[in-house]
Amino acid sequence: MKIEIWSDVACPWCYIGKRRFEAALAEFPHRDSVEVQWRSYQLDPGLPEHYDGTELEYLSTRKGLAPAQVSQMFEHVAEQAKGEGLNYRFDDVVVANSFTAHRLIHLAAAHGRQDAAKERLLSDHFEHGKDIGSREYLTSLGQDLGIDAGELDELFTTDKYAEDVRLDFEEGRALGISGVPFFVIDRKYGLSGAQPPAMFSQALTQAWHEKQPLVMAGAGTGAPGSKSSDGGAEACGPDGCTV
């Protein structure tokens, strides 16, 4: 079973949603058969590489929200994050464009380190005041993930993985995704937002059962009156009827 998660590094609910999804997945009996893929999404593609101001100033000026409203929102989100064991520090958040960070996630995926990259970027952005648009920071993160220095240098001197990130954006739009986090299960079920773990558990269970083949009742029992060892009774098919 494959789960694709559209998410932005600069989205506070995406980190909360990640934790809640992980809690549900940890309790899922078939978790070892689940593939998770992080897909790129940007809440504000037009954001400058670096924004000269605080997160509160950014949301107030660019989104047209009153500072008091933004502060109230920060308090609510931070409280929700705390419930998931996360320590959000909005006063220390460095506002920066996340496009290159998404490219790094794609590079990390090529090394089997996609989830580790996503986790570090979210934590460093919301809990540790790191600059997710900084080449120095992203290079250091890549090295921590075990990625070769040459590949990291290529990330900043070429447009490698830029098209992959844009394709994620396009696929998200094609699926009707207009907000994140957004979870897609086997391209059949979609869950929007940082749902409670119980909702993720319900979706995982439903999707798993629907994709499994039917199990024949009484299979292999050789029940009295059956015409075959799989427990099947008289029936008709393309080659005729049993007698």
Side-chain angles (χ1 to χ4, degrees):
M1 190 161 69
K2 183 175 182 178
I3 301 175
E4 299 163 276
I5 309 173
W6 270 262
S7 168
D8 192 4
V9 178
C11 164
W13 285 111
C14 288
Y15 199 10
I16 295 170
K18 183 176 189 292
R19 278 291 181 272
R20 291 176 177 174
F21 168 74
E22 289 169 341
L25 186 61
E27 298 298 322
F28 186 55
H30 311 288
R31 57 186 174 275
D32 292 338
S33 298
V34 175
E35 175 191 355
V36 178
Q37 181 181 11
W38 291 97
R39 307 298 295 268
S40 302
Y41 188 95
Q42 278 195 296
L43 295 170
D44 187 358
L47 182 67
E49 185 173 339
H50 289 92
Y51 176 83
D52 187 19
T54 65
E55 180 84 338
L56 189 149
E57 291 169 341
Y58 160 69
L59 291 174
S60 297
T61 58
R62 292 181 69 89
K63 304 298 182 180
L65 301 174
Q69 182 181 355
V70 176
S71 294
Q72 186 177 22
M73 181 188 70
F74 284 170
E75 291 178 8
H76 172 67
V77 176
E79 187 64 26
Q80 292 296 310
K82 186 177 180 181
E84 306 303 327
L86 306 175
N87 181 29
Y88 280 11
R89 298 162 56 187
F90 284 107
D91 289 345
D92 296 332
V93 167
V94 178
V95 183
N97 192 294
S98 62
F99 191 84
T100 304
H102 283 296
R103 290 173 58 215
L104 176 62
I105 293 172
H106 276 271
L107 172 59
H111 291 267
R113 302 284 286 161
Q114 187 187 43
D115 189 78
K118 185 72 174 184
E119 176 69 24
R120 274 287 304 275
L121 282 162
L122 286 165
S123 177
D124 286 349
H125 181 61
F126 288 108
E127 298 183 298
H128 304 289
K130 300 293 185 180
D131 183 353
I132 61 171
S134 162
R135 174 172 179 171
E136 180 181 2
Y137 162 71
L138 293 175
T139 298
S140 175
L141 172 55
Q143 291 173 338
D144 288 347
L145 296 171
I147 300 174
D148 181 75
E151 290 186 83
L152 292 168
D153 185 64
E154 183 181 16
L155 196 70
F156 293 98
T157 56
T158 71
D159 62 352
K160 191 169 185 178
Y161 294 112
E163 186 60 23
D164 298 84
V165 173
R166 295 189 184 100
L167 284 174
D168 280 352
F169 296 166
E170 291 175 10
E171 283 197 58
R173 285 193 292 269
L175 290 171
I177 297 172
S178 59
V180 287
F182 198 97
F183 302 77
V184 177
I185 305 177
D186 281 338
R187 290 295 173 105
K188 185 176 181 180
Y189 294 100
L191 290 91
S192 178
Q195 299 283 349
M199 182 63 72
F200 287 122
S201 295
Q202 179 182 335
L204 288 169
T205 301
Q206 181 177 349
W208 178 265
H209 286 315
E210 290 190 7
K211 88 180 273 106
Q212 301 312 304
L214 290 174
V215 177
M216 297 303 295
T221 62
S226 66
K227 294 296 184 179
S228 64
S229 61
D230 66 358
E234 294 86 346
C236 292
D239 298 323
C241 301
T242 58
V243 294

